[in-house]
Every structure is written in C-alpha cells, then in structure tokens.
Coordinates of all heavy atoms in Angstrom, one line a residue:
M16 N 47.7 -33.2 2.1 CA 48.1 -34.2 1.1 C 49.4 -34.9 1.7 O 50.2 -34.2 2.2 CB 48.4 -33.5 -0.2 CG 48.9 -34.4 -1.4 SD 49.2 -33.7 -2.9 CE 47.6 -33.1 -3.4
V17 N 49.5 -36.2 1.5 CA 50.6 -37.0 2.1 C 51.8 -36.9 1.2 O 51.6 -36.6 -0.1 CB 50.2 -38.4 2.3 CG1 49.1 -38.5 3.3 CG2 49.7 -39.1 1.0
K18 N 53.0 -37.1 1.7 CA 54.2 -37.0 0.9 C 54.1 -37.8 -0.4 O 54.4 -37.3 -1.4 CB 55.3 -37.6 1.7 CG 56.7 -37.6 1.0 CD 57.8 -38.0 2.0 CE 59.1 -38.0 1.2 NZ 60.2 -38.6 1.9
G19 N 53.6 -39.1 -0.5 CA 53.6 -39.9 -1.6 C 52.6 -39.2 -2.7 O 52.9 -39.3 -3.9
G20 N 51.6 -38.5 -2.1 CA 50.7 -37.8 -3.0 C 51.4 -36.7 -3.8 O 51.1 -36.4 -5.0
V21 N 52.1 -35.9 -3.1 CA 52.9 -34.8 -3.7 C 53.9 -35.3 -4.8 O 53.9 -34.8 -5.8 CB 53.6 -33.9 -2.6 CG1 54.4 -32.9 -3.2 CG2 52.5 -33.3 -1.7
S22 N 54.5 -36.3 -4.4 CA 55.5 -36.9 -5.3 C 54.8 -37.4 -6.6 O 55.4 -37.2 -7.7 CB 56.3 -38.2 -4.7 OG 57.0 -37.7 -3.6
K23 N 53.8 -38.2 -6.4 CA 53.0 -38.6 -7.6 C 52.5 -37.5 -8.5 O 52.5 -37.6 -9.7 CB 51.9 -39.5 -7.0 CG 51.1 -40.2 -8.1 CD 52.0 -41.2 -8.8 CE 51.2 -42.1 -9.8 NZ 52.0 -43.0 -10.6
M24 N 52.0 -36.5 -7.8 CA 51.4 -35.3 -8.5 C 52.5 -34.7 -9.4 O 52.3 -34.4 -10.5 CB 50.9 -34.3 -7.5 CG 50.5 -33.0 -8.2 SD 50.1 -31.6 -7.0 CE 51.8 -31.3 -6.4
M25 N 53.8 -34.5 -8.8 CA 54.8 -33.9 -9.5 C 55.3 -34.8 -10.7 O 55.6 -34.3 -11.7 CB 56.0 -33.6 -8.6 CG 55.7 -32.5 -7.7 SD 57.1 -31.9 -6.7 CE 57.7 -33.4 -5.9
E26 N 55.3 -36.1 -10.5 CA 55.6 -37.1 -11.6 C 54.6 -36.9 -12.7 O 55.0 -36.9 -13.9 CB 55.6 -38.5 -10.9 CG 55.9 -39.6 -12.0 CD 55.8 -41.0 -11.4 OE1 56.1 -41.1 -10.1 OE2 55.5 -41.9 -12.1
L27 N 53.3 -36.9 -12.4 CA 52.3 -36.8 -13.4 C 52.4 -35.4 -14.2 O 52.3 -35.4 -15.4 CB 50.9 -37.0 -12.8 CG 50.6 -38.3 -12.4 CD1 49.3 -38.3 -11.5 CD2 50.6 -39.3 -13.5
E28 N 52.7 -34.4 -13.5 CA 52.9 -33.1 -14.1 C 54.1 -33.1 -15.1 O 53.9 -32.6 -16.2 CB 53.0 -31.9 -13.1 CG 51.7 -31.6 -12.4 CD 51.8 -30.7 -11.2 OE1 52.9 -30.4 -10.8 OE2 50.8 -30.3 -10.7
N29 N 55.1 -33.7 -14.7 CA 56.4 -33.7 -15.5 C 56.0 -34.6 -16.8 O 56.4 -34.1 -17.9 CB 57.5 -34.3 -14.8 CG 58.1 -33.4 -13.8 OD1 57.9 -32.2 -13.8 ND2 58.7 -34.0 -12.8
K30 N 55.3 -35.7 -16.7 CA 55.0 -36.4 -17.8 C 53.9 -35.7 -18.7 O 54.1 -35.8 -20.0 CB 54.3 -37.7 -17.5 CG 55.3 -38.8 -16.8 CD 54.5 -40.1 -16.4 CE 55.5 -41.0 -15.8 NZ 54.9 -42.2 -15.4
S31 N 53.1 -34.9 -18.2 CA 52.2 -34.2 -19.0 C 52.9 -33.1 -19.8 O 52.5 -32.7 -21.0 CB 51.0 -33.5 -18.2 OG 51.5 -32.5 -17.4
I32 N 53.9 -32.5 -19.3 CA 54.7 -31.5 -20.1 C 55.4 -32.2 -21.2 O 55.4 -31.6 -22.4 CB 55.7 -30.8 -19.1 CG1 55.0 -30.0 -18.1 CG2 56.7 -30.0 -19.9 CD1 55.9 -29.5 -16.9
L33 N 55.9 -33.4 -21.0 CA 56.6 -34.1 -22.1 C 55.6 -34.4 -23.2 O 55.9 -34.4 -24.4 CB 57.3 -35.3 -21.5 CG 58.4 -35.1 -20.6 CD1 58.9 -36.4 -20.1 CD2 59.6 -34.4 -21.4
I34 N 54.4 -34.9 -22.7 CA 53.4 -35.3 -23.8 C 53.0 -34.1 -24.5 O 52.8 -34.2 -25.9 CB 52.3 -36.0 -23.1 CG1 52.6 -37.3 -22.5 CG2 51.1 -36.1 -24.0 CD1 51.7 -38.0 -21.5
T35 N 52.7 -33.0 -24.0 CA 52.2 -31.8 -24.7 C 53.3 -31.1 -25.5 O 53.1 -30.4 -26.5 CB 51.5 -30.8 -23.8 OG1 52.5 -30.4 -22.8 CG2 50.3 -31.4 -23.1
G36 N 54.5 -31.4 -25.0 CA 55.7 -30.8 -25.8 C 55.9 -29.3 -25.7 O 56.4 -28.7 -26.6
G37 N 55.3 -28.7 -24.7 CA 55.5 -27.3 -24.6 C 55.2 -26.7 -23.3 O 54.7 -27.2 -22.4
G38 N 55.7 -25.4 -23.2 CA 55.4 -24.6 -22.0 C 56.2 -25.2 -20.8 O 56.8 -26.2 -20.9
R39 N 56.1 -24.4 -19.7 CA 56.7 -24.8 -18.5 C 55.6 -24.7 -17.4 O 54.9 -23.6 -17.2 CB 57.8 -23.9 -18.0 CG 58.3 -24.1 -16.7 CD 59.7 -23.5 -16.5 NE 60.2 -23.3 -15.2 CZ 60.5 -24.3 -14.4 NH1 60.4 -25.6 -14.6 NH2 60.8 -24.0 -13.1
L40 N 55.3 -25.8 -16.8 CA 54.4 -26.0 -15.7 C 55.0 -25.7 -14.4 O 56.0 -26.5 -14.0 CB 53.6 -27.3 -15.8 CG 52.5 -27.5 -14.7 CD1 51.4 -26.5 -15.0 CD2 52.0 -28.9 -14.8
L41 N 54.7 -24.7 -13.7 CA 55.3 -24.5 -12.4 C 54.6 -25.3 -11.3 O 53.4 -25.4 -11.4 CB 55.1 -23.0 -12.0 CG 55.9 -22.0 -12.8 CD1 55.6 -20.6 -12.5 CD2 57.3 -22.2 -12.9
K42 N 55.3 -25.9 -10.5 CA 54.7 -26.8 -9.4 C 54.9 -26.0 -8.1 O 55.9 -25.5 -7.8 CB 55.5 -28.1 -9.4 CG 55.3 -29.0 -10.6 CD 56.1 -30.2 -10.5 CE 57.4 -30.2 -11.0 NZ 58.1 -30.0 -12.0
G43 N 53.7 -26.0 -7.4 CA 53.7 -25.3 -6.1 C 52.7 -25.9 -5.1 O 51.9 -26.7 -5.5
I44 N 52.8 -25.4 -4.0 CA 52.0 -25.9 -2.9 C 51.9 -24.9 -1.7 O 52.8 -24.2 -1.6 CB 52.5 -27.4 -2.3 CG1 51.4 -28.1 -1.6 CG2 53.7 -27.2 -1.5 CD1 51.6 -29.6 -1.5
E45 N 50.8 -25.0 -1.0 CA 50.7 -24.2 0.3 C 51.1 -25.1 1.4 O 50.6 -26.3 1.5 CB 49.2 -23.7 0.4 CG 49.2 -22.7 1.6 CD 47.9 -22.0 1.6 OE1 47.1 -22.1 0.7 OE2 47.7 -21.3 2.7
V46 N 52.0 -24.7 2.2 CA 52.6 -25.6 3.3 C 52.3 -25.0 4.6 O 52.4 -23.8 4.9 CB 54.0 -25.7 3.2 CG1 54.6 -26.6 4.2 CG2 54.4 -26.2 1.7
D47 N 51.8 -25.9 5.6 CA 51.5 -25.5 7.0 C 52.8 -25.2 7.8 O 53.8 -25.9 7.7 CB 50.7 -26.6 7.6 CG 50.2 -26.2 9.0 OD1 50.1 -25.0 9.2 OD2 50.0 -27.1 9.8
I48 N 52.8 -24.1 8.5 CA 53.9 -23.9 9.5 C 53.4 -24.6 10.7 O 52.4 -24.3 11.3 CB 54.1 -22.4 9.7 CG1 54.5 -21.7 8.4 CG2 55.1 -22.2 10.8 CD1 54.7 -20.2 8.5
L49 N 54.2 -25.6 11.2 CA 53.8 -26.4 12.3 C 54.1 -25.6 13.7 O 54.8 -24.6 13.6 CB 54.6 -27.7 12.3 CG 54.5 -28.5 11.1 CD1 55.3 -29.8 11.1 CD2 53.0 -28.9 10.8
E50 N 53.6 -26.1 14.7 CA 53.8 -25.5 16.1 C 55.2 -25.2 16.4 O 55.6 -24.3 17.0 CB 53.0 -26.3 17.2 CG 53.1 -25.6 18.5 CD 52.2 -26.4 19.5 OE1 51.6 -27.2 19.1 OE2 52.4 -26.1 20.7
D51 N 56.1 -26.3 16.0 CA 57.5 -26.2 16.4 C 58.3 -25.3 15.5 O 59.5 -25.2 15.6 CB 58.2 -27.5 16.6 CG 58.1 -28.3 15.4 OD1 57.6 -27.8 14.3 OD2 58.7 -29.5 15.3
G52 N 57.6 -24.8 14.4 CA 58.4 -24.0 13.4 C 58.8 -24.7 12.2 O 59.4 -24.3 11.2
G53 N 58.6 -26.1 12.2 CA 58.8 -26.9 11.0 C 57.8 -26.7 9.9 O 56.7 -26.0 10.2
L54 N 58.1 -27.2 8.8 CA 57.1 -27.1 7.7 C 56.4 -28.3 7.5 O 56.9 -29.4 7.8 CB 57.8 -26.5 6.4 CG 58.5 -25.2 6.5 CD1 59.1 -24.8 5.2 CD2 57.4 -24.2 6.9
G55 N 55.2 -28.4 6.9 CA 54.3 -29.5 6.9 C 54.7 -30.6 5.8 O 54.1 -31.6 5.8
L56 N 55.8 -30.4 5.1 CA 56.4 -31.4 4.1 C 57.9 -31.4 4.3 O 58.5 -30.4 4.6 CB 56.0 -31.0 2.7 CG 54.6 -31.2 2.2 CD1 54.3 -30.5 0.9 CD2 54.3 -32.6 2.2
P57 N 58.5 -32.4 4.1 CA 59.9 -32.6 4.2 C 60.7 -31.8 3.1 O 60.1 -31.6 2.0 CB 60.2 -34.1 4.1 CG 59.1 -34.7 3.4 CD 57.9 -33.8 3.7
D58 N 61.9 -31.5 3.4 CA 62.7 -30.6 2.5 C 62.9 -31.3 1.2 O 63.0 -30.6 0.2 CB 64.0 -30.2 3.1 CG 63.9 -29.2 4.2 OD1 62.8 -28.7 4.4 OD2 65.0 -28.9 4.8
D59 N 63.1 -32.6 1.1 CA 63.2 -33.3 -0.1 C 62.1 -33.1 -1.1 O 62.4 -33.1 -2.4 CB 63.6 -34.7 0.0 CG 62.5 -35.6 0.6 OD1 61.8 -35.1 1.5 OD2 62.4 -36.7 0.2
I60 N 60.9 -32.9 -0.7 CA 59.8 -32.6 -1.5 C 59.8 -31.1 -1.8 O 59.6 -30.6 -2.9 CB 58.4 -32.9 -0.8 CG1 58.3 -34.5 -0.6 CG2 57.2 -32.4 -1.6 CD1 58.1 -35.2 -2.0
L61 N 59.9 -30.2 -0.8 CA 59.9 -28.7 -1.0 C 60.9 -28.3 -1.9 O 60.6 -27.3 -2.8 CB 60.1 -28.1 0.3 CG 59.0 -28.3 1.4 CD1 59.4 -27.6 2.8 CD2 57.7 -27.8 0.9
K62 N 62.1 -28.9 -2.1 CA 63.1 -28.4 -3.0 C 62.7 -28.7 -4.5 O 63.3 -28.0 -5.3 CB 64.5 -29.0 -2.6 CG 64.6 -30.5 -2.9 CD 66.0 -31.0 -2.6 CE 66.2 -32.5 -3.0 NZ 67.4 -33.0 -2.6
E63 N 61.8 -29.6 -4.6 CA 61.4 -30.0 -6.0 C 60.4 -29.0 -6.6 O 60.0 -29.0 -7.8 CB 60.9 -31.4 -6.0 CG 61.9 -32.5 -5.7 CD 63.0 -32.5 -6.7 OE1 62.9 -32.2 -7.9 OE2 64.2 -32.7 -6.2
L64 N 59.8 -28.2 -5.7 CA 58.8 -27.3 -6.1 C 59.2 -25.9 -6.5 O 60.3 -25.4 -6.0 CB 57.8 -27.1 -4.9 CG 57.1 -28.4 -4.5 CD1 56.4 -28.2 -3.2 CD2 56.1 -28.9 -5.6
D65 N 58.6 -25.3 -7.5 CA 58.9 -24.0 -8.0 C 58.4 -22.9 -7.0 O 59.0 -21.8 -6.8 CB 58.4 -23.7 -9.3 CG 58.9 -24.8 -10.4 OD1 60.1 -24.8 -10.5 OD2 58.1 -25.4 -11.0
L66 N 57.2 -23.1 -6.4 CA 56.6 -22.1 -5.6 C 56.1 -22.8 -4.2 O 55.6 -23.9 -4.3 CB 55.3 -21.6 -6.2 CG 55.5 -20.9 -7.6 CD1 54.2 -20.8 -8.3 CD2 56.3 -19.7 -7.4
R67 N 56.3 -22.1 -3.1 CA 55.9 -22.7 -1.8 C 55.3 -21.5 -1.1 O 56.0 -20.4 -1.0 CB 57.0 -23.2 -1.0 CG 57.6 -24.5 -1.7 CD 59.0 -24.8 -1.2 NE 60.0 -23.6 -1.5 CZ 60.6 -23.5 -2.7 NH1 60.4 -24.4 -3.6 NH2 61.5 -22.5 -2.8
V68 N 54.1 -21.6 -0.7 CA 53.5 -20.5 0.2 C 53.4 -21.1 1.6 O 52.7 -22.2 1.8 CB 52.1 -20.1 -0.3 CG1 51.5 -19.1 0.6 CG2 52.3 -19.5 -1.7
C69 N 54.0 -20.6 2.5 CA 53.9 -21.1 3.9 C 53.1 -20.3 4.8 O 53.2 -19.0 4.8 CB 55.4 -21.1 4.5 SG 56.5 -22.0 3.5
S70 N 52.2 -20.8 5.5 CA 51.3 -20.2 6.4 C 50.8 -21.1 7.5 O 50.9 -22.3 7.4 CB 50.1 -19.5 5.7 OG 49.4 -20.5 5.0
V71 N 50.3 -20.5 8.6 CA 49.8 -21.3 9.7 C 48.3 -21.7 9.3 O 47.5 -20.9 9.0 CB 49.7 -20.5 11.0 CG1 49.1 -21.3 12.1 CG2 51.2 -20.1 11.3
H72 N 48.1 -23.0 9.2 CA 46.7 -23.5 9.0 C 46.1 -24.1 10.2 O 44.9 -24.0 10.4 CB 46.9 -24.7 7.9 CG 47.4 -24.4 6.6 ND1 48.4 -24.9 6.0 CD2 47.0 -23.3 5.8 CE1 48.7 -24.4 4.9 NE2 47.8 -23.4 4.7
Y73 N 46.9 -24.7 11.2 CA 46.3 -25.2 12.4 C 47.0 -24.6 13.5 O 47.8 -23.7 13.3 CB 46.6 -26.8 12.4 CG 46.1 -27.4 11.2 CD1 46.9 -27.8 10.1 CD2 44.7 -27.7 11.0 CE1 46.4 -28.4 8.9 CE2 44.2 -28.3 9.8 CZ 45.1 -28.6 8.8 OH 44.6 -29.2 7.6
N74 N 46.7 -25.1 14.7 CA 47.3 -24.6 16.0 C 47.1 -23.1 16.1 O 48.0 -22.3 16.6 CB 48.8 -24.8 16.0 CG 49.1 -26.3 16.0 OD1 48.4 -27.0 16.8 ND2 50.0 -26.8 15.2
R75 N 45.9 -22.6 15.7 CA 45.7 -21.1 15.7 C 45.3 -20.7 17.2 O 45.1 -19.5 17.4 CB 44.5 -20.8 14.7 CG 44.9 -20.9 13.4 CD 43.9 -20.5 12.5 NE 44.3 -20.4 11.1 CZ 44.8 -19.4 10.4 NH1 44.9 -18.2 11.0 NH2 45.2 -19.5 9.1
N76 N 45.2 -21.6 18.1 CA 44.9 -21.3 19.5 C 46.2 -21.0 20.3 O 46.1 -20.8 21.5 CB 44.1 -22.4 20.1 CG 44.9 -23.8 20.1 OD1 45.8 -23.9 19.4 ND2 44.5 -24.7 20.9
L77 N 47.4 -21.0 19.7 CA 48.5 -20.7 20.4 C 48.6 -19.2 20.8 O 48.0 -18.3 20.1 CB 49.8 -21.0 19.6 CG 50.0 -22.4 19.1 CD1 51.2 -22.5 18.2 CD2 50.2 -23.3 20.4
S78 N 49.3 -18.9 21.9 CA 49.5 -17.5 22.2 C 50.3 -16.8 21.2 O 51.0 -17.4 20.3 CB 50.2 -17.4 23.6 OG 51.6 -17.8 23.4
R79 N 50.1 -15.5 21.1 CA 50.8 -14.7 20.1 C 52.3 -14.9 20.2 O 53.0 -15.0 19.1 CB 50.5 -13.2 20.4 CG 51.2 -12.3 19.4 CD 50.7 -10.8 19.6 NE 49.4 -10.7 19.2 CZ 48.7 -9.6 18.8 NH1 49.4 -8.6 18.6 NH2 47.5 -9.6 18.6
E80 N 52.8 -15.1 21.4 CA 54.3 -15.2 21.5 C 54.7 -16.6 20.9 O 55.7 -16.7 20.2 CB 54.7 -15.2 23.0 CG 54.6 -13.7 23.6 CD 53.2 -13.4 23.9 OE1 52.3 -14.2 24.0 OE2 52.8 -12.2 24.1
K81 N 54.0 -17.7 21.3 CA 54.3 -19.0 20.7 C 54.2 -19.1 19.2 O 54.9 -19.7 18.5 CB 53.4 -20.0 21.4 CG 53.7 -20.4 22.7 CD 54.4 -21.7 22.7 CE 54.6 -22.1 24.2 NZ 55.9 -22.9 24.4
Q82 N 53.1 -18.4 18.7 CA 52.8 -18.4 17.3 C 54.0 -17.7 16.5 O 54.6 -18.2 15.5 CB 51.5 -17.7 17.0 CG 51.1 -17.9 15.6 CD 50.4 -19.3 15.5 OE1 51.2 -20.2 15.0 NE2 49.2 -19.6 15.7
T83 N 54.4 -16.6 17.1 CA 55.5 -15.7 16.5 C 56.8 -16.6 16.6 O 57.6 -16.6 15.6 CB 55.7 -14.5 17.3 OG1 54.5 -13.7 17.2 CG2 56.9 -13.6 16.8
E84 N 57.1 -17.3 17.7 CA 58.3 -18.1 17.8 C 58.3 -19.1 16.7 O 59.4 -19.4 16.1 CB 58.4 -18.7 19.2 CG 58.7 -17.8 20.3 CD 58.6 -18.4 21.6 OE1 58.4 -19.8 21.7 OE2 58.6 -17.7 22.7
G85 N 57.2 -19.8 16.6 CA 57.1 -20.8 15.4 C 57.4 -20.3 14.1 O 58.2 -20.9 13.3
I86 N 56.8 -19.2 13.8 CA 57.0 -18.5 12.5 C 58.4 -18.1 12.3 O 59.0 -18.3 11.1 CB 56.0 -17.4 12.3 CG1 54.5 -17.9 12.2 CG2 56.3 -16.6 11.0 CD1 53.4 -16.9 12.2
I87 N 59.0 -17.6 13.2 CA 60.4 -17.2 13.1 C 61.2 -18.3 12.9 O 62.2 -18.3 12.0 CB 60.8 -16.3 14.4 CG1 60.1 -14.9 14.3 CG2 62.3 -16.1 14.4 CD1 60.3 -14.2 15.6
R88 N 61.0 -19.4 13.6 CA 61.8 -20.7 13.4 C 61.6 -21.2 12.0 O 62.6 -21.7 11.3 CB 61.5 -21.8 14.4 CG 62.2 -21.5 15.7 CD 62.2 -22.8 16.5 NE 60.7 -23.1 16.9 CZ 60.1 -22.7 18.0 NH1 60.7 -21.8 18.8 NH2 58.9 -23.1 18.2
A89 N 60.3 -21.1 11.5 CA 60.1 -21.6 10.1 C 60.9 -20.8 9.0 O 61.3 -21.3 8.1 CB 58.6 -21.5 9.8
M90 N 61.2 -19.5 9.4 CA 61.8 -18.7 8.4 C 63.3 -19.1 8.2 O 64.0 -18.7 7.3 CB 61.9 -17.2 8.8 CG 60.4 -16.7 8.8 SD 60.2 -15.0 9.5 CE 61.0 -14.0 8.3
D91 N 63.8 -19.9 9.2 CA 65.2 -20.4 9.0 C 65.3 -21.6 7.9 O 66.4 -21.9 7.5 CB 65.7 -21.1 10.3 CG 66.0 -20.0 11.4 OD1 66.3 -18.7 10.9 OD2 66.0 -20.2 12.6
N92 N 64.1 -22.1 7.5 CA 64.2 -23.1 6.4 C 64.4 -22.4 5.2 O 63.7 -21.5 4.8 CB 62.7 -23.9 6.5 CG 62.8 -25.0 5.6 OD1 63.0 -24.9 4.3 ND2 62.5 -26.1 6.0
P93 N 65.4 -23.0 4.4 CA 65.7 -22.4 3.0 C 64.6 -22.4 2.0 O 64.6 -21.6 1.1 CB 66.9 -23.2 2.6 CG 66.8 -24.5 3.3 CD 66.2 -24.2 4.6
Y94 N 63.6 -23.2 2.3 CA 62.4 -23.3 1.4 C 61.2 -22.4 1.9 O 60.2 -22.5 1.3 CB 62.0 -24.7 1.1 CG 63.2 -25.5 0.6 CD1 63.9 -26.5 1.5 CD2 63.7 -25.3 -0.7 CE1 65.0 -27.1 0.9 CE2 64.9 -26.0 -1.1 CZ 65.4 -26.9 -0.3 OH 66.5 -27.6 -0.7
F95 N 61.4 -21.7 3.0 CA 60.3 -20.9 3.5 C 60.0 -19.7 2.5 O 60.9 -19.1 2.0 CB 60.7 -20.3 4.8 CG 59.7 -19.4 5.4 CD1 58.7 -19.9 6.2 CD2 59.7 -18.0 5.2 CE1 57.8 -19.1 6.7 CE2 58.7 -17.2 5.6 CZ 57.7 -17.7 6.4
S96 N 58.7 -19.6 2.2 CA 58.3 -18.4 1.4 C 57.0 -18.0 1.8 O 56.2 -18.8 2.4 CB 58.4 -18.7 -0.2 OG 57.6 -19.7 -0.5
T97 N 56.6 -16.8 1.5 CA 55.2 -16.3 1.8 C 54.5 -15.8 0.5 O 55.3 -15.7 -0.4 CB 55.3 -15.1 2.8 OG1 56.0 -14.0 2.2 CG2 56.2 -15.5 4.0
P98 N 53.4 -15.3 0.6 CA 52.8 -14.8 -0.6 C 53.6 -13.6 -1.2 O 53.4 -13.2 -2.4 CB 51.4 -14.4 -0.2 CG 51.0 -15.3 1.0 CD 52.4 -15.5 1.6
H99 N 54.4 -13.0 -0.4 CA 55.2 -11.8 -0.8 C 56.5 -12.2 -1.4 O 57.3 -11.4 -1.8 CB 55.3 -10.8 0.4 CG 54.0 -10.5 1.0 ND1 53.1 -9.6 0.3 CD2 53.4 -10.8 2.1 CE1 52.1 -9.4 1.0 NE2 52.2 -10.2 2.1
G100 N 56.9 -13.5 -1.4 CA 58.1 -14.0 -1.9 C 59.0 -14.7 -0.9 O 58.7 -14.8 0.2
T101 N 60.1 -15.2 -1.4 CA 61.0 -16.0 -0.7 C 61.8 -15.1 0.3 O 62.1 -14.0 -0.1 CB 61.9 -16.8 -1.5 OG1 61.2 -17.7 -2.4 CG2 62.9 -17.6 -0.7
V102 N 62.0 -15.5 1.5 CA 62.8 -14.7 2.4 C 64.2 -14.8 2.1 O 64.8 -15.9 2.0 CB 62.5 -15.2 3.9 CG1 63.4 -14.3 4.9 CG2 61.0 -15.0 4.2
D103 N 64.9 -13.7 1.9 CA 66.4 -13.8 1.6 C 67.1 -14.0 2.8 O 67.2 -13.2 3.8 CB 66.8 -12.5 0.9 CG 68.3 -12.4 0.4 OD1 69.0 -13.3 0.7 OD2 68.5 -11.6 -0.3
Q104 N 67.8 -15.3 2.8 CA 68.5 -15.8 4.1 C 69.8 -15.0 4.2 O 70.5 -15.2 5.2 CB 68.7 -17.2 4.1 CG 67.4 -17.9 4.0 CD 66.6 -18.0 5.3 OE1 67.1 -17.8 6.3 NE2 65.2 -18.1 5.1
R105 N 70.2 -14.3 3.2 CA 71.6 -13.6 3.3 C 71.6 -12.4 3.9 O 72.8 -11.9 4.2 CB 72.1 -13.5 1.8 CG 72.3 -14.9 1.1 CD 72.5 -14.7 -0.3 NE 71.3 -14.1 -0.9 CZ 71.2 -13.7 -2.2 NH1 72.2 -13.8 -3.1 NH2 70.0 -13.2 -2.7
T106 N 70.5 -11.8 4.2 CA 70.6 -10.4 4.8 C 70.5 -10.4 6.3 O 70.1 -11.4 6.9 CB 69.5 -9.5 4.3 OG1 68.2 -10.2 4.5 CG2 69.7 -9.3 2.8

C-alpha cells in the first residue's frame, strides 16, 4: 500500500468512529523490513498507528548474516515491533 493509501485509510477510519459514536478502532499495519534495515513506511505514518508488525517480506535471498544485520538495524527504529510486542529501547 502506498503512503497516500495509508493516510486515506486512517482518515476514513477516524471519520467512521465519529459517525458511529462509539468504541475505539485500533489502526495497524504489517510493515516490511527493508534490506538496509529501514521500514517500508515513513515514521510520520508509523507514529499514527496503534499497532505495527514488522517482518521481512522481500529480499529473502539474502545471506543469514545480511538478513540479521538488517533486522538488527530495524530494531533501532522507535516504531519497530514484532508479533510479540514493541521492543523496549530503554534496556
């Protein structure tokens, strides 16, 4: 999904909450960990989401060492999280 698509999705979800007048709709996405350790969406989008699941979707042909280096770099991002929860950057 492109950046504009994610922004539009969040805008529509926020409006639907106002229209229905109740509940809290959590916004989340699964984000690709890129070869260089970056995440597949910019931080200004990621910070608006309640849930982010980060995993490698592409570049699966990298060596184990390169893949590990990219994942470790991705963990430096404050919005990095896995299905097991957000990584605590303070420890």
